[in-house]
Amino acid sequence: MHYQTEPPSAYIRCAPKPARKVLYGIAETETAGTGDPLQLVDTSTLKVYRPSNPGKALAIIHALEKQGHNVAIGAFGLKSSNFPGWKITDMDALNACFSANFAAGLLKKNKGLAWGQGCRGAQARNLALAAYTTGRLSLGNGGGAYVQTVDYFSQQYERSKS
């Protein structure tokens, strides 16, 4: 039996209201439209895992990390290699509500960095989104494509709530 998970529209409600639409887009982008908050991606091999419960997710994460692999965890694809600096855990990343709020914080920080470089409005937002996936305030190296995909899924947010 598969662990019962809520759809993204349910756990996005945990996040600040102004960020919900873009967070929905991120969750759908990171999980290829499944919104699965237990999804794992081995960033070394790009193998996707969709464990049936949190315990199985943790076992997979720990096995991959023992092999020296970085893991993108949960609906927001939080990278395990960043956890020590962020002071979060694997369980935090698997918690969809926590992750939605944490992702909102990352976007806010990235937007602040973009503002610091003189970017405003849509440009700052797009660079913040690009940095969410690439780690750089640049639309290069896949950042622009990521922004387009997030925008595509974000447009579906209102329909997802019904």
Side-chain angles (χ1 to χ4, degrees):
M1 181 168 188
H2 194 276
Y3 179 75
Q4 181 61 41
T5 58
E6 294 182 298
S9 58
Y11 56 75
I12 296 298
R13 287 187 206 121
C14 300
K17 196 170 188 172
R20 290 178 186 170
K21 185 174 179 179
V22 72
L23 289 171
Y24 180 86
I26 289 172
E28 291 291 277
T29 298
E30 293 288 337
T31 62
T34 69
D36 186 351
L38 297 180
Q39 176 178 287
L40 309 171
V41 178
D42 178 335
T43 62
S44 298
T45 65
L46 299 181
K47 183 173 179 180
V48 176
Y49 299 85
R50 291 203 170 91
S52 59
N53 62 59
K56 289 181 181 179
L58 287 172
I60 293 167
I61 293 166
H62 295 153
L64 291 172
E65 287 176 335
K66 279 184 184 174
Q67 296 172 34
H69 295 205
N70 187 23
V71 184
I73 300 175
F76 296 94
L78 300 177
K79 311 299 184 290
S80 61
S81 60
N82 293 324
F83 292 1
W86 289 341
K87 297 180 179 20
I88 68 170
T89 67
D90 299 336
M91 280 303 293
D92 292 330
L94 289 170
N95 178 312
C97 244
F98 175 92
S99 292
N101 278 293
F102 193 81
L106 290 175
L107 287 173
K108 185 176 181 179
K109 178 183 176 189
N110 291 345
K111 195 169 183 181
L113 293 171
W115 271 68
Q117 292 188 4
C119 301
R120 300 291 184 267
Q123 184 183 25
R125 174 208 174 269
N126 290 346
L127 289 174
L129 268 173
Y132 185 88
T133 193
T134 67
R136 294 183 185 91
L137 292 173
S138 168
L139 297 177
N141 296 325
Y146 186 81
V147 171
Q148 288 179 337
T149 306
V150 168
D151 285 344
Y152 168 80
F153 282 117
S154 293
Q155 297 308 313
Q156 299 175 20
Y157 176 63
E158 291 303 320
R159 286 190 301 252
S160 73
K161 295 190 304 184
S162 45

Coordinates of all heavy atoms in Angstrom, one line a residue, residues 6 10 20 30 32 42 46 48 51 55 66 68 96 99 105 108-109 112 133-134 139 149 151 154-155 157:
E6 N -0.8 14.1 0.2 CA -1.7 15.1 -0.3 C -1.2 15.7 -1.6 O 0.0 15.8 -1.9 CB -1.8 16.3 0.7 CG -2.4 15.8 2.0 CD -2.6 17.0 3.0 OE1 -1.6 17.5 3.4 OE2 -3.7 17.3 3.4
A10 N -2.8 21.1 -1.5 CA -3.0 21.0 -0.1 C -1.8 21.5 0.7 O -2.0 22.3 1.6 CB -3.4 19.5 0.3
R20 N 2.3 31.1 -3.1 CA 1.7 29.8 -3.3 C 1.6 29.4 -4.8 O 1.9 28.3 -5.2 CB 0.3 29.7 -2.7 CG 0.3 29.7 -1.2 CD -1.1 29.7 -0.7 NE -1.0 29.8 0.8 CZ -2.1 30.0 1.6 NH1 -3.3 30.2 1.0 NH2 -1.9 30.2 2.9
E30 N 9.5 20.2 -10.2 CA 10.5 19.3 -9.6 C 10.1 17.8 -9.6 O 10.9 16.9 -9.6 CB 10.8 19.7 -8.1 CG 11.5 21.1 -8.0 CD 12.9 21.0 -8.4 OE1 13.6 20.0 -8.4 OE2 13.5 22.1 -8.7
A32 N 8.0 16.4 -11.9 CA 7.5 16.0 -13.3 C 5.9 15.9 -13.3 O 5.4 15.0 -13.8 CB 8.1 14.8 -13.8
D42 N 18.4 11.0 -7.4 CA 19.8 10.8 -7.2 C 20.4 11.7 -8.2 O 20.3 11.5 -9.4 CB 20.2 9.4 -7.5 CG 21.7 9.1 -7.4 OD1 22.5 10.0 -7.6 OD2 22.1 7.9 -7.2
L46 N 20.6 10.7 -11.9 CA 19.2 11.2 -12.3 C 18.1 10.2 -12.2 O 17.1 10.4 -12.7 CB 19.3 11.9 -13.7 CG 20.2 13.1 -13.8 CD1 20.1 13.6 -15.2 CD2 19.9 14.1 -12.8
V48 N 15.1 8.5 -10.5 CA 14.0 9.0 -9.7 C 13.4 7.9 -8.9 O 13.2 6.8 -9.4 CB 12.9 9.6 -10.6 CG1 11.7 10.1 -9.7 CG2 13.4 10.8 -11.4
P51 N 9.3 6.4 -3.2 CA 9.0 5.5 -2.2 C 7.6 5.5 -1.7 O 6.9 6.6 -1.8 CB 10.0 5.8 -1.1 CG 10.5 7.2 -1.4 CD 10.3 7.4 -2.9
G55 N 9.6 6.2 5.8 CA 10.7 5.3 6.2 C 11.5 4.7 5.1 O 12.7 4.7 5.1
K66 N 25.5 7.3 1.4 CA 26.7 6.4 1.7 C 27.5 6.2 0.5 O 28.7 6.0 0.6 CB 26.2 5.1 2.3 CG 25.9 5.2 3.8 CD 25.5 3.8 4.3 CE 25.1 3.9 5.8 NZ 24.6 2.6 6.3
G68 N 28.0 8.5 -1.6 CA 28.6 9.8 -2.0 C 27.7 10.6 -2.9 O 28.2 11.5 -3.5
A96 N 6.2 18.1 3.5 CA 5.8 19.0 2.4 C 5.5 20.4 2.9 O 5.8 21.4 2.3 CB 4.6 18.4 1.7
S99 N 8.8 22.1 3.7 CA 9.5 22.3 2.5 C 8.9 23.5 1.7 O 9.6 24.3 1.1 CB 9.6 21.1 1.6 OG 10.4 20.1 2.2
G105 N 11.2 30.8 1.5 CA 12.3 31.5 2.1 C 13.5 31.6 1.1 O 14.1 32.7 1.0
K108 N 12.7 34.1 -1.6 CA 12.8 35.5 -1.0 C 14.2 35.9 -0.9 O 14.6 37.1 -1.3 CB 12.1 35.5 0.3 CG 12.0 36.9 0.9 CD 11.2 36.9 2.2 CE 11.1 38.3 2.8 NZ 10.3 38.3 4.0
K109 N 15.1 35.0 -0.4 CA 16.5 35.3 -0.3 C 17.1 35.6 -1.7 O 17.8 36.6 -1.9 CB 17.2 34.2 0.4 CG 18.7 34.4 0.5 CD 19.4 33.2 1.1 CE 20.9 33.5 1.1 NZ 21.6 32.3 1.5
G112 N 16.1 38.9 -3.1 CA 16.8 39.9 -2.4 C 18.2 40.1 -3.0 O 18.7 41.2 -3.2
T133 N 17.1 26.7 -8.9 CA 17.5 25.4 -9.5 C 19.0 25.3 -9.8 O 19.6 24.3 -9.7 CB 16.7 25.0 -10.7 OG1 16.9 23.6 -11.0 CG2 17.0 25.8 -11.9
T134 N 19.6 26.4 -10.3 CA 21.0 26.4 -10.7 C 22.0 26.9 -9.7 O 23.2 26.6 -9.8 CB 21.2 27.3 -12.0 OG1 21.0 28.6 -11.6 CG2 20.3 26.9 -13.1
L139 N 19.9 33.2 -16.2 CA 18.9 32.4 -16.9 C 19.7 31.4 -17.8 O 19.0 30.6 -18.5 CB 18.0 33.3 -17.8 CG 17.2 34.3 -16.9 CD1 16.4 35.2 -17.9 CD2 16.2 33.5 -16.0
T149 N 9.1 26.5 -17.3 CA 8.4 25.3 -16.8 C 7.6 25.6 -15.5 O 6.4 25.2 -15.4 CB 9.3 24.1 -16.6 OG1 10.1 23.9 -17.8 CG2 8.5 22.8 -16.2
D151 N 6.5 28.5 -14.7 CA 5.4 29.4 -15.1 C 4.3 28.6 -15.7 O 3.1 28.9 -15.4 CB 5.9 30.5 -16.1 CG 6.7 31.6 -15.4 OD1 6.6 31.7 -14.1 OD2 7.4 32.3 -16.1
S154 N 2.6 26.9 -12.8 CA 1.9 27.9 -11.9 C 0.6 28.3 -12.5 O -0.3 28.6 -11.7 CB 2.8 29.2 -11.8 OG 4.0 28.9 -11.1
Q155 N 0.4 28.4 -13.8 CA -0.9 28.8 -14.4 C -2.0 27.8 -14.0 O -3.1 28.1 -14.1 CB -0.7 28.9 -15.9 CG 0.2 30.0 -16.3 CD -0.1 31.3 -15.7 OE1 -1.2 31.8 -15.7 NE2 1.0 32.0 -15.1
Y157 N -2.4 26.4 -11.1 CA -2.6 26.5 -9.6 C -4.1 26.7 -9.3 O -4.6 26.0 -8.4 CB -1.7 27.5 -8.9 CG -2.0 27.7 -7.5 CD1 -1.8 26.6 -6.6 CD2 -2.5 28.9 -6.9 CE1 -2.0 26.7 -5.2 CE2 -2.8 29.0 -5.6 CZ -2.5 27.9 -4.7 OH -2.8 28.0 -3.4

